[in-house]
Amino acid sequence: LLLSLFVFLPIQWWIGGIQSMDPCLGRNGERVRRSLGRGFRRPIVTTLVGGVGSLILLIPVIGWIVGPTYLVVAGGIVAMRMRELDPR
């Protein structure tokens, strides 16, 4: 239980954050390797985006609608902000 709480859950949240940021970066011509690099350079922000989206999904009915919408919007905003701060 502790292993899943402190290891697997943050990894799942990080993957969720990358998954929500990658489409926005891909539409702007960035390759997957570079968008993964952005997630590795700012792991706390990426994990928070995925974590909040995952926690919203735990709310019955409303969360199932709001959660994915939040992930797409927040992922796009964070991805563009990361791109402004680190244009390479």
Side-chain angles (χ1 to χ4, degrees):
L1 182 66
L2 289 176
L3 182 67
S4 68
L5 184 64
F6 292 110
V7 176
F8 297 129
L9 202 56
I11 291 172
Q12 179 183 355
W13 289 353
W14 183 84
I15 290 171
I18 285 292
Q19 195 175 18
S20 67
M21 293 185 324
D22 186 52
C24 183
L25 292 170
R27 278 191 299 265
N28 286 301
E30 240 179 69
R31 300 205 183 271
V32 175
R33 178 174 276 171
R34 181 168 282 187
S35 63
L36 279 174
R38 290 185 190 281
F40 279 116
R41 281 193 295 277
R42 301 202 194 297
I44 293 173
V45 173
T46 306
T47 303
L48 284 175
V49 169
V52 171
S54 295
L55 291 175
I56 291 173
L57 286 172
L58 293 176
I59 303 169
V61 182
I62 300 297
W64 304 334
I65 297 166
V66 174
T69 305
Y70 161 80
L71 279 169
V72 169
V73 172
I77 291 170
V78 169
M80 290 297 99
R81 183 72 177 142
M82 281 183 176
R83 200 160 186 230
E84 287 175 6
L85 293 175
D86 188 19
R88 51 184 169 115

